[in-house]
Amino acid sequence: SIPEWLTGSLIRVGPGKFTVGPHKFKHWFDGMAVLHKFSFKQGAVFYQNKFLQSDSYLESLNKTYHAKTEFGTAAMADPCKSLFQKFMAWFAPAVPSSDNSNVNLFEAAGDFWATGETARTYQIDSESLDTGEKVDFTKRVKLHTATAHPHSDSDGTIFNLGTLFLYKSMYEFFKVSPKRGPDNQVEVKSIGTLIASYPNPSYYHSYGMTENYFILVEQPLFVNSLRLAFGGLFRYSFEDATYFDDRKKTVIRVFSRKTGKSLVTRYKYTADPLFLFHHINAYEEDDHIVFDVAAYDNPSIIKQTYFSNLASPSEPPPESSVRRFVLPQHMEGKVSDDLNKLSYTSATAVIKIDGSVHCTPEILCHESLDLPRINYDYNARKYRYAYFVGNFLPSESSPFNLTKLDVEEKSFKSWSEKDCFASEPVFVPRPGGEAEDDGVILSAVVRQTENPSSFLLVLNAADFTEIGRAEIDRQIPATLHGLYVN
């Protein structure tokens, strides 16, 4: 049974078309965006989907080849161009030129938007899934890319982070007003910038936010700006321009939401090399900043999600863990002192002789978890529960599952079913509910069997038991992220 108090829609987006004419995309992240909508009415579920009508989608279909550079697939040369035009195309950078917004959805300025990592976003009609207005953030603030995971404040203000690739690359924090301006334009303003810690900027997919701060993890997966500059000449994709240097430390940057400046402390925060896509949550407590992430030891998961490796894996799936970092804001101490004074976590922040505070995380869960979601009412606040996809790239020994993690007790509950691959679990609070986990989890599940099919799964968020499911007699593409619309 489906709870009758569910009266909105779960809207999701993900890659769904992986060929253009005779040509195939190389990476799973590159597929053309498909929007999916599960609507709820009086205990019934209705499903529809539609391709996002982006410029990249329409141009690629018209030309029958990859017209724009995606994350892992470079744009193809236009055979109709003159020799001079082809020569000039060699100098097109490998910064993703696509507006294929296939990663996430968010609500801003009274509308719903589909987004990727290219700082271009499309308005989506939440009823029909029709594609509407396009907003290019690069024309409002100075950046080339932006995360697909913006944060929102209680008043509806949207915050996000992007990178400007220059001789000295910069990270740009910006905000989107909750209301449109007098000319009905979406209002986008810069909050402030950070100069990259290393000569080449870091790749990042998300960032953390507390009541007063933004948190950027500069992981040692770098973007080679020179390779970007000559992307057209060598047919580089964006991923081709990245490299991982495990000799470099991870640098953790803290940026003030109020002053628009980097938090100045006596020492800089560092950590061992790691790779992460997703921040889980962050909060402040007793002069400390606490933030949790789903992190890997290296970025091999990116290589393993190329279609060539998905079809014939050459190594076991990479494993992540849920890691808690603590950033003390009081900096009084001497070399070797641990500045973390929070008794409930074993994370450390030790002063080093090189002028850094080296942060070692507490492992909240050793299970391989990713695609985290929380009750967003607890975003930027101390929280207890998070929900994940377990074993994002499953194997026979580590089956695919959905997992609920109690970050206080460090215990977890899981749901799994043979041959089933679930999407990111979205938490929907029950109207009038008071407990953090009083609500349901919604996940779109793909069943990989002889006769493929799909279903919407509804779990009780409190005990993680199944309440019901809505079957679809065909296989729908796996999705990345989405949101519940009341």
Side-chain angles (χ1 to χ4, degrees):
S1 62
I2 308 297
E4 292 199 5
W5 57 261
L6 278 172
T7 56
S9 299
L10 174 68
I11 305 178
R12 300 191 57 77
V13 69
K17 181 177 178 58
F18 301 101
T19 60
V20 180
H23 308 288
K24 295 182 179 180
F25 287 109
K26 295 179 179 179
H27 200 282
W28 181 47
F29 295 168
D30 297 339
M32 292 298 177
V34 177
L35 297 156
H36 307 261
K37 178 184 174 185
F38 297 89
S39 304
F40 303 91
K41 185 177 181 180
Q42 297 179 342
V45 182
F46 303 85
Y47 172 75
Q48 65 187 100
N49 62 29
K50 191 170 289 188
F51 279 104
L52 178 73
Q53 304 293 298
S54 67
D55 292 342
S56 296
Y57 172 77
L58 296 174
E59 184 178 354
S60 293
L61 262 61
N62 180 55
K63 295 181 176 180
T64 67
Y65 63 83
H66 309 139
K68 302 293 184 181
T69 294
E70 302 287 348
F71 179 82
T73 307
M76 298 181 66
D78 189 340
C80 298
K81 284 186 175 180
S82 68
L83 184 62
F84 176 75
Q85 288 174 321
K86 290 179 181 178
F87 174 77
M88 293 305 296
W90 287 351
F91 301 97
V95 175
S97 56
S98 172
D99 57 8
N100 176 28
S101 302
N102 67 357
V103 182
N104 202 3
L105 296 147
F106 65 95
E107 185 176 0
D111 291 304
F112 299 96
W113 304 84
T115 187
E117 294 188 317
T118 62
R120 299 169 183 88
T121 182
Y122 276 95
Q123 178 189 356
I124 300 301
D125 186 304
S126 62
E127 290 297 322
S128 65
L129 298 185
D130 286 344
T131 304
E133 175 188 4
K134 177 181 176 180
V135 171
D136 187 344
F137 292 135
T138 66
K139 295 181 179 179
R140 317 292 178 89
V141 288
K142 295 179 180 179
L143 46 81
H144 288 118
T145 63
T147 85
H149 289 278
H151 281 286
S152 62
D153 228 342
S154 57
D155 66 355
T157 300
I158 294 294
F159 302 96
N160 208 352
L161 167 66
T163 301
L164 180 64
F165 298 100
L166 296 171
Y167 173 70
K168 285 189 176 181
S169 294
M170 296 184 294
Y171 308 113
E172 178 88 27
F173 288 96
F174 63 96
K175 63 181 178 180
V176 181
S177 173
K179 296 182 179 179
R180 290 176 180 261
D183 55 357
N184 202 35
Q185 294 295 306
V186 177
E187 294 191 315
V188 183
K189 294 182 179 179
S190 172
I191 300 173
T193 59
L194 290 173
I195 302 296
S197 298
Y198 291 104
N200 285 314
S202 294
Y203 168 79
Y204 53 88
H205 181 74
S206 63
Y207 68 100
M209 186 177 81
T210 70
E211 181 182 358
N212 296 295
Y213 301 104
F214 300 121
I215 302 154
L216 167 63
V217 175
E218 284 187 282
Q219 55 198 2
L221 178 61
F222 299 110
V223 183
N224 187 315
S225 300
L226 194 60
R227 279 198 164 207
L228 281 184
F230 291 95
L233 178 61
F234 295 103
R235 293 294 169 213
Y236 288 142
S237 69
F238 182 78
E239 197 276 329
D240 289 332
T242 66
Y243 66 97
F244 187 68
D245 189 347
D246 60 7
R247 299 168 298 176
K248 302 291 187 184
K249 291 181 178 179
T250 297
V251 179
I252 303 170
R253 309 287 293 277
V254 181
F255 190 84
S256 172
R257 292 174 56 182
K258 295 180 179 178
T259 66
K261 296 180 180 179
S262 178
L263 178 66
V264 177
T265 60
R266 184 178 173 187
Y267 303 98
K268 69 176 182 178
Y269 301 112
T270 64
D272 289 338
L274 55 73
F275 171 75
L276 66 95
F277 282 120
H278 299 110
H279 284 250
I280 302 168
N281 200 7
Y283 59 90
E284 300 165 43
E285 183 175 12
D286 297 337
D287 211 21
H288 296 73
I289 297 171
V290 180
F291 71 95
D292 300 339
V293 296
Y296 303 79
D297 292 335
N298 60 65
S300 64
I301 188 170
I302 292 179
K303 297 294 185 184
Q304 291 204 31
T305 41
Y306 275 92
F307 284 118
S308 57
N309 292 327
L310 286 171
S312 302
S314 58
E315 55 186 78
E319 293 188 355
S320 64
S321 58
V322 178
R323 308 180 192 187
R324 168 163 289 177
F325 288 90
V326 174
L327 310 178
Q329 295 177 270
H330 54 273
M331 289 294 187
E332 297 304 319
K334 58 183 184 297
V335 173
S336 299
D337 282 355
D338 182 2
L339 300 180
N340 176 26
K341 306 304 179 187
L342 298 177
S343 60
Y344 61 81
T345 175
S346 60
T348 62
V350 176
I351 299 176
K352 296 293 184 180
I353 197 169
D354 65 356
S356 68
V357 170
H358 193 74
C359 301
T360 302
E362 176 187 11
I363 306 300
L364 298 178
C365 183
H366 288 275
E367 297 294 308
S368 186
L369 306 175
D370 210 330
L371 298 175
R373 292 294 291 259
I374 62 170
N375 179 341
Y376 203 77
D377 289 342
Y378 287 77
N379 191 56
R381 297 169 50 193
K382 193 172 183 179
Y383 74 115
R384 182 167 181 176
Y385 302 110
Y387 310 92
F388 304 83
V389 168
N391 300 310
F392 183 58
L393 292 178
S395 64
E396 290 185 6
S397 60
S398 301
F400 201 96
N401 62 63
L402 294 173
T403 296
K404 174 187 180 180
L405 174 64
D406 184 328
V407 300
E408 289 185 6
E409 294 187 356
K410 303 174 184 61
S411 61
F412 63 90
K413 301 174 181 178
S414 294
W415 174 94
S416 65
E417 190 168 302
K418 189 175 185 296
D419 299 321
C420 287
F421 299 82
S423 67
E424 165 199 59
V426 175
F427 175 84
V428 182
R430 183 179 64 83
E434 297 182 358
E436 181 183 341
D437 60 349
D438 189 352
V440 296
I441 292 295
L442 304 179
S443 178
V445 182
V446 177
R447 189 185 283 112
Q448 188 69 33
T449 56
E450 184 177 350
N451 296 308
S453 60
S454 311
F455 60 91
L456 178 76
L457 176 69
V458 185
L459 300 178
N460 183 324
D463 61 16
F464 230 55
T465 59
E466 181 174 342
I467 297 175
R469 62 178 66 182
E471 296 277 356
I472 303 172
D473 63 356
R474 68 192 65 190
Q475 189 180 54
I476 63 174
T479 55
L480 288 172
H481 299 289
L483 78 167
Y484 181 79
V485 178
N486 262 324

